[in-house]
Amino acid sequence: MSHMLVTGANGFVGRALSRALCEAGHTVTGLVRRGGRLEPGVSEWVEPSADFAAIEAEWPAGLSADCVVHLAARVHVMREVSQDPETAFGCTNVDGTLRVAHAAWSHAVRRFVFVSSIKAVAEADSGHPLTEEDAPAPQDAYGRSKLAAEEALLRYGRESGLEVVIVRPPLVYGPEVRANFRRLMDGIWRGVPLPLGAVRGRRSLVYVENLADALIRCAIDPRAAGQRFHVADAGAPTVAELCFALGRHLGKPARLVPIPERMLRLAGRVTGRSAQIDRLVGALQVDTSRIRTVLDWHPPYSSDEGLAATARWYRSTRGGCEC
């Protein structure tokens, strides 16, 4: 088995990945900025410097890893507070990522798995599922920083010999999910009428345990070196279908109002929330044929199983039944 170094190991995806790695028999070190919340069996390395500025000097003596899975990032936010988001995202997601890669190669790590985002390619699918061959056209500072990090890492890999693997997930959900997915469950749980009944665009998602499984495959399979992979659940629901499925698992039937999409988009322009409405209304399907063909990878859990697990967790946080 391998020794894996996971950055951001105490985050939503990092905890699921660390747990899956330990269950598979791998040794795991979690590189985090603040201590705590690591999965049992994970060794903690706290490196608090901004954008991994001190990672080379602070690399623990005796730490020898086979692969780094780089999850730590400045994440996409709905309400940006930075006066210069391009620079802020670039410092963390590009410069910081390259520092981790350089330190890893300097300490004999052979593989670097970078968790990027489908937002590095596009915000919508323009009529066909997005493939790794589609020309990237990121629409915000976060997506542009992820794409820039991908390109810089692949160049560094070619120059140094570090095996770089790029993974682009869409929206990730599962127990402990936050942000929009959590707010959607909040609305369904409270019985709030949601204006999503007429939305027909299909959007790919990925259950966090499916993503963790794919990341492990990318970390250990020799065929993954130098590749970019899109990873998602099988199938892509409409927002309405997603709401109905969540409502069924939550035991709180979703109350959807069929507001025409053009009205939703108009409301988005009036309220200054066009980007949020576009993400609800627009289609964003992801083609996963490359990882299925190259690595023979298939998601081990169905979307319904993932949604059921997410709903069980959510109900437990509301004092509901966990069964």
Side-chain angles (χ1 to χ4, degrees):
M1 293 298 174
S2 301
H3 189 158
M4 304 289 183
L5 176 61
V6 179
T7 73
N10 53 6
F12 169 47
V13 177
R15 285 169 59 84
L17 173 61
S18 297
R19 185 168 57 249
L21 284 167
C22 290
E23 289 172 354
H26 298 285
T27 301
V28 183
T29 297
L31 171 55
V32 295
R33 290 192 64 189
R34 298 177 183 84
R37 297 195 75 245
L38 291 177
E39 288 294 301
V42 176
S43 300
E44 184 179 76
W45 171 15
V46 178
E47 206 293 276
S49 65
D51 305 326
F52 298 102
I55 187 172
E56 183 77 44
E58 297 297 327
W59 191 281
L63 174 58
S64 178
D66 300 289
C67 176
V68 171
V69 181
H70 187 50
L71 290 161
R74 187 175 196 269
V75 299
H76 172 69
V77 293
M78 300 302 292
R79 293 180 177 84
E80 179 59 64
V81 296
S82 172
Q83 296 298 311
D84 186 0
E86 294 285 346
T87 298
F89 278 110
C91 286
T92 300
N93 296 348
V94 184
D95 300 341
T97 295
L98 285 175
R99 290 188 188 105
V100 177
H102 179 73
W105 180 246
S106 298
H107 290 86
V109 175
R110 62 176 180 80
R111 180 164 294 191
F112 191 95
V113 178
F114 176 60
V115 182
S116 183
S117 168
I118 201 63
K119 287 172 68 67
V121 185
E123 296 284 353
D125 63 26
S126 301
H128 72 275
L130 296 173
T131 73
E132 293 85 352
E133 287 76 30
D134 285 322
Q139 298 298 302
D140 62 12
Y142 171 75
R144 287 188 287 272
S145 72
K146 285 293 193 178
L147 179 62
E150 289 183 17
E151 300 295 346
L153 278 173
L154 289 170
R155 284 195 300 271
Y156 182 73
R158 289 191 295 268
E159 295 166 359
S160 67
L162 179 67
E163 296 177 358
V164 173
V165 187
I166 308 295
V167 177
R168 291 170 172 165
L171 187 149
V172 186
Y173 69 95
E176 300 187 21
V177 68
R178 293 182 176 275
N180 287 343
F181 204 95
R182 173 65 185 256
R183 285 191 283 272
L184 180 62
M185 289 194 291
D186 287 340
I188 295 171
W189 182 266
R190 295 197 305 267
V192 175
L194 302 172
L196 305 173
V199 176
R200 295 291 176 260
R202 296 189 174 275
R203 298 186 72 88
S204 294
L205 311 169
V206 62
Y207 178 39
V208 68
E209 300 291 346
N210 286 337
L211 177 57
D213 189 78
L215 291 174
I216 294 173
R217 182 70 64 87
C218 289
I220 65 177
D221 195 315
R223 298 171 294 180
Q227 294 278 357
R228 282 189 175 104
F229 293 119
H230 292 175
V231 174
D233 292 350
T238 66
V239 175
E241 290 170 345
L242 175 63
C243 289
F244 286 133
L246 282 170
R248 175 165 49 85
H249 289 301
L250 289 169
K252 301 278 187 175
R255 300 176 61 192
L256 302 188
V257 181
I259 304 298
E261 291 185 11
R262 65 180 182 278
M263 298 291 291
L264 292 176
R265 293 186 188 278
L266 176 60
R269 289 195 293 272
V270 170
T271 61
R273 296 186 175 184
S274 290
Q276 294 93 315
I277 295 299
D278 287 344
R279 278 190 285 273
L280 279 174
V281 172
L284 181 58
Q285 296 188 70
V286 173
D287 186 320
T288 61
S289 57
R290 176 177 288 181
I291 192 169
R292 288 187 281 112
T293 300
V294 175
L295 301 186
D296 192 29
W297 180 83
H298 301 272
Y301 300 94
S302 69
S303 293
D304 197 63
E305 290 173 318
L307 293 174
T310 308
R312 284 194 299 272
W313 162 78
Y314 183 88
R315 291 177 66 182
S316 74
T317 69
R318 309 293 298 204
C321 175
E322 294 184 70
C323 57

